Amino acid sequence: MTIANRYSQPSSTSPFQDDVLDGLTRQRKALPSRWLYDERGSELFEAITTLPEYYPTRTETGILRDCASSIASVVERGAALVEYGAGASTKTHIVLDALNSPRYYVPIDISGDFLLAAAKRIETAYPALDVAPRIADFLRTVSLPQKIQAVPRLGFFPGSTIGNLSDLEIHTYLARSKASLGQGARFLLGYDLRKAAETLIPAYDDAQGVTAAFNLNILARINRELNADFDLSRFRHVAVWNESQSRIEMHLESLGRQTVTIGSVKVRFEAGETIHTENSRKFSWDTMRRMCTAAGWSTLREYTDCAEQFAVVLLGSDDETS
Ligand code: AVJ
């Protein structure tokens, strides 16, 4: 017997198309930030990390360098490093170099190509390391290789990517990673601290316009992948500091009244109307401590830079007896 399946129809949609049509037909237009990171978007983000105004990457890298031996002193020999999201690998190198003979490296990323390239680089640089990449969305449940449960485990979530998540997503992510890393695990988390808007705004609206290109690229992606006709010159990048929500918001502002066609759907924009594309939350030490505690993690060490711009915290299991 054959049953008509809506997923086999030619009209079936992709998750990207679902999110775009859903987000742009709302009262307040918004797109999930993960769609910013296609190949071009990831390249532009790499360029952002080296901008003079963008302090987070170089600050976190500096903290990890300065604190590497302190971090390594609370992780036993022969550990497994489990990294959520595969980045440019610089931070991974710092941690692996500091740990005592690490045995496993488990990078987790939703983008397979990106993940496998990063895994290859680490494998080549550390021949003694067993590299076991996992293609997965780390906001969902990730099954870790069974073999790492026999060794000490260290979760690693750098880059203040946690700042893109909502309270509920943070809680779910921290609690799930705690459960899957298992008893006695440690966790190294990097997040951005609250600071003056005078520092934050240029970090998300740089003089060279790299962040603007990064934000506008999502429209080019919609044009290319969903047969749309956004005129990129009729939108501008805006970075706003939302004090009450303690977050930088990226928006794309319509430079006039206009209608855009996406496939067969027409979307109207008023002059000045925006599409909200990303939140980048900035936390106080206390807020993050509370969120970690609520998810079952206890704070073992807290590290920062001399200007207290960025935080790296080392978490442990609060069910440990030692
Ligand atoms: C990759 C999410 C950490 O929020 O600072 C940089 C992304 N957006 N400039 C951040 C981003 C605009 C970045 N994260």
Side-chain angles (χ1 to χ4, degrees):
M1 181 169 71
T2 23
I3 297 168
N5 170 348
R6 76 182 183 93
Y7 299 105
S8 63
Q9 299 303 303
S11 62
S12 75
T13 59
S14 65
F16 180 46
Q17 183 174 29
D18 288 347
D19 281 354
V20 169
L21 294 178
D22 177 58
L24 296 186
T25 51
R26 290 188 192 186
Q27 171 79 23
R28 302 183 69 149
K29 297 180 171 66
L31 293 169
S33 62
R34 65 172 171 282
W35 302 117
L36 289 163
Y37 301 88
D38 62 353
E39 206 181 322
R40 179 77 186 128
S42 300
E43 265 170 34
L44 287 164
F45 176 66
E46 283 308 315
I48 288 172
T49 64
T50 63
L51 292 169
E53 298 97 326
Y54 193 75
Y55 61 87
T57 310
R58 63 169 181 275
T59 308
E60 183 182 36
T61 304
I63 297 168
L64 288 172
R65 282 210 177 93
D66 291 348
C67 305
S69 59
S70 166
I71 293 162
S73 73
V74 289
V75 180
E76 314 255 305
R77 162 175 297 275
L81 180 67
V82 178
E83 182 168 359
Y84 298 88
S89 310
T90 317
K91 297 167 198 170
T92 312
H93 276 270
I94 298 170
V95 176
L96 285 173
D97 289 346
L99 294 177
N100 293 302
S101 325
R103 274 192 52 193
Y104 301 103
Y105 174 57
V106 184
I108 304 164
D109 203 282
I110 197 161
S111 157
D113 293 349
F114 204 62
L115 175 70
L116 297 179
K120 254 266 136 51
R121 286 199 301 273
I122 296 293
E123 205 157 36
T124 309
Y126 302 87
L129 199 65
D130 182 337
V131 179
R134 284 287 180 274
I135 300 173
D137 177 353
F138 56 70
L139 291 181
R140 308 206 173 164
T141 308
V142 186
S143 67
L144 297 176
Q146 189 58 40
K147 59 192 176 190
I148 74 166
Q149 295 301 335
V151 302
R153 281 136 281 123
L154 175 64
F156 185 36
F157 193 32
S160 76
T161 307
I162 199 161
N164 284 165
L165 311 183
S166 67
D167 277 356
L168 177 63
E169 286 171 327
I170 292 177
H171 183 82
T172 308
Y173 166 73
L174 288 175
R176 276 191 187 153
S177 56
K178 171 121 198 343
S180 72
L181 287 166
Q183 271 205 359
R186 304 277 194 243
F187 196 95
L188 194 58
L189 172 68
Y191 66 91
D192 203 8
L193 292 165
R194 283 175 58 90
K195 60 185 61 64
E198 292 71 50
T199 306
L200 288 167
I201 297 287
Y204 290 84
D205 192 4
D206 62 282
Q208 292 170 66
V210 183
T211 310
F214 169 68
N215 197 5
L216 284 159
N217 175 61
I218 202 169
L219 301 183
R221 180 177 189 182
I222 296 170
N223 282 350
R224 193 175 58 244
E225 295 182 25
L226 303 179
N227 186 31
D229 64 357
F230 276 101
D231 177 351
L232 273 60
S233 71
R234 299 205 66 208
F235 286 85
R236 83 178 175 103
H237 162 71
V238 197
V240 200
W241 169 239
N242 182 332
E243 170 73 46
S244 68
Q245 298 291 319
S246 194
R247 69 191 188 201
I248 283 278
E249 299 177 2
M250 290 207 313
H251 292 258
L252 290 164
E253 183 189 310
S254 176
L255 294 175
R257 176 182 275 209
Q258 55 183 318
T259 301
V260 174
T261 307
I262 305 163
S264 57
V265 178
K266 294 208 180 300
V267 177
R268 283 181 50 112
F269 289 88
E270 296 302 327
E273 188 179 358
T274 76
I275 307 171
H276 185 176
T277 51
E278 188 174 56
N279 287 322
S280 192
R281 299 172 64 182
K282 311 302 165 186
F283 304 93
S284 68
W285 292 99
D286 239 34
T287 301
M288 189 53 80
R289 266 179 219 137
R290 245 183 290 116
M291 290 180 144
C292 292
T293 306
W297 289 105
S298 59
T299 306
L300 300 178
R301 306 264 159 104
E302 294 179 316
Y303 308 101
T304 188
D305 53 290
C306 58
E308 243 185 271
Q309 297 217 88
F310 200 92
V312 173
V313 293
L314 187 63
L315 308 171
S317 308
D318 60 14
D319 46 23
E320 277 172 64
T321 44
S322 62

